[in-house]
Amino acid sequence: MQSIEKESAIAQDYLSKISVQAEALFDKYLPPVTDQPCRLHEAMRYSMLAGGKRLRPALVRATFDMFGGKGENVEYAMVALEMIHTFSLIHDDLPCIDNDDFRRGKPTSHKQFGEATAVMAGDALCVLAFELMGKTGNARAIEVLAHLLSTYGLIGGEMIDIECEGKEVDLETVDYIHYHKTAALIEAALQVGAMLAGASDKDIQIIRQYGRAIGLAFQIVDDILDIVSTTEELGKDAGSDIEKGKATYPSVVGLDKSREKAKELYEESIRALDGLSCDTNVLRAIAAFIITRVK
Amino acid sequence: MQSIEKESAIAQDYLSKISVQAEALFDKYLPPVTDQPCRLHEAMRYSMLAGGKRLRPALVRATFDMFGGKGENVEYAMVALEMIHTFSLIHDDLPCIDNDDFRRGKPTSHKQFGEATAVMAGDALCVLAFELMGKTGNARAIEVLAHLLSTYGLIGGEMIDIECEGKEVDLETVDYIHYHKTAALIEAALQVGAMLAGASDKDIQIIRQYGRAIGLAFQIVDDILDIVSTTEELGKDAGSDIEKGKATYPSVVGLDKSREKAKELYEESIRALDGLSCDTNVLRAIAAFIITRVK
């Protein structure tokens, strides 16, 4: 096995390659700004094309390829997963929710376009994501994606996150928030990629286990970076978790134990992949990247 | 042919019957308030179970039955269409959009639960609608529904509606807003019902024509009622269109011409139905109800 740093470098190369591919697809499937309602289409493009790691499209692509998927359905799902991620960020940033002014180094949607347009840009991205998923012809994948985004997934995690702001919380609650708010959509990206490729139920279970582990690790690393990085490094307000009294791993168990937990989750994710007979190199590399990333 | 008043009475009986059926289904498919996040589930139920005509579920049911549909897929679609309608109302009522305090005689979602919960209750209903549509196994119906809800449908109409507030607009713009903001989802309800029943493409085209006609008529009647009714009669703020400088039929062509147009659209919808060979009595009655309704 290679060193974790080498693995991470492999993942970064992969993510760079997929970013270029994914951004071309976003441009292809986002409505043009010349179509009515122009300003809303502009707002959708603004947030979708503001950069970012494109982790979710990469997870869709990697899993689809790993399970031998063929055809263009993967493209719809790559775009849909990033649209759903962007929709959740636009709404989370709203003044009535997290009230954030910056995201990926740029003013947030409501700062740039006003609140009404931001609410509707989020709605429109969510709806367009399901339209694209409809084009895959795989209704079961749509059901799975929607469930992991629902009040039993991402939206549920976000709601409890807000309700816990400024309150003393235990580790169980932080786990609930992180598994729902972050891990659910990462799990969804992997599962949708696997389903579109026609993976077996057994393999899908394994990929979900991997997803839950790297999803939680991803959010713990996010929590750590919010403390140890500057706003410039992050492209969003650093230190905002503490300021808002957010429930985070470091706030409950401290920085060192948070780092240990991330490492344990990394190992758990790798062990899960051992259950697969296909080539899992890309997913191993992505797991390494997730716990070593600095932004 | 029966008088339009008799037709309307038949439709009211049908809508009452379907309301009872639909509300039992809402209760069945909405998450229980005892599940986390409880407050969000409470907000979803509050808006979904606040009454209303249940026109969209009735259109799904009527079309499904008319084309000889069998099985429980229709239930998922009836619930999904009302969830999408409710999601759009919750977000439209937000302070940053239409800023309405009352809906169906009760405080709007953000008045009752706060803005953050209202934004997320809308999001959650939209997502749950697609989860239920996923259960139908009909990915093409999901694509159609999402498209009619997108920036080329309902959301697009709502955006242009906001942009035109307080401006002088022409009839073409009012038609654009009404066809998108209102007719699109009515068309979607009919088309989804027909698709789930396995109707032919030719019959689906006819049902869409009917839908566009009654959809526009529905919104014109809404505009008229906003002027001639009291807040108590409507269950929402009467006169609010004029107050907000909304683009409406009466504001552009006056009340009399608006009434004439609604009548013409009714006749257009009935002519469309003449192209079908099945029993269209329920849809004829609903068209009559739409132009004679007083709330």
Side-chain angles (χ1 to χ4, degrees), chain A residues 155, chain B residues 40 43-44 87 90-91 109 116-126:
Chain A
I155 293 172
Chain B
L40 186 54
M44 291 163 76
F87 140 65
I90 293 174
H91 282 192
S109 182
T117 304
V119 168
M120 282 198 283
D123 291 349
L125 287 170
C126 175

Side-chain angles (χ1 to χ4, degrees), chain B residues 16-149:
Chain B
S16 301
K17 196 185 75 183
I18 297 296
S19 275
V20 175
Q21 196 186 105
E23 280 163 29
L25 293 173
F26 302 160
D27 184 51
K28 180 173 167 190
Y29 291 111
L30 281 164
V33 292
T34 45
D35 277 6
Q36 282 281 26
C38 309
R39 196 173 156 74
L40 186 54
H41 290 155
E42 197 187 327
M44 291 163 76
R45 288 181 164 265
Y46 174 85
S47 294
M48 278 289 288
L49 301 171
K53 288 176 283 292
R54 313 307 189 186
L55 177 64
R56 291 151 198 82
L59 292 173
V60 173
R61 176 94 248 175
T63 315
F64 183 82
D65 289 344
M66 187 176 85
F67 288 117
K70 296 281 170 246
E72 67 180 358
N73 279 346
V74 67
E75 292 192 357
Y76 299 129
M78 287 170 70
V79 180
L81 266 290
E82 188 73 3
M83 284 181 173
I84 283 177
H85 177 54
T86 307
F87 140 65
S88 79
L89 298 180
I90 293 174
H91 282 192
D92 287 358
D93 288 339
L94 286 170
C96 67
I97 303 185
D98 280 355
N99 195 22
D100 279 314
D101 293 349
F102 287 94
R103 168 76 65 185
R104 294 168 178 166
K106 291 168 69 178
T108 45
S109 182
H110 62 92
K111 279 284 173 190
Q112 188 75 11
F113 296 96
E115 267 184 76
T117 304
V119 168
M120 282 198 283
D123 291 349
L125 287 170
C126 175
V127 166
L128 183 49
F130 284 107
E131 185 178 349
L132 293 174
M133 285 300 296
K135 289 183 196 291
T136 67
N138 193 323
R140 176 74 185 127
I142 295 169
E143 189 189 345
V144 163
L145 173 61
H147 187 73
L148 287 166
L149 177 56

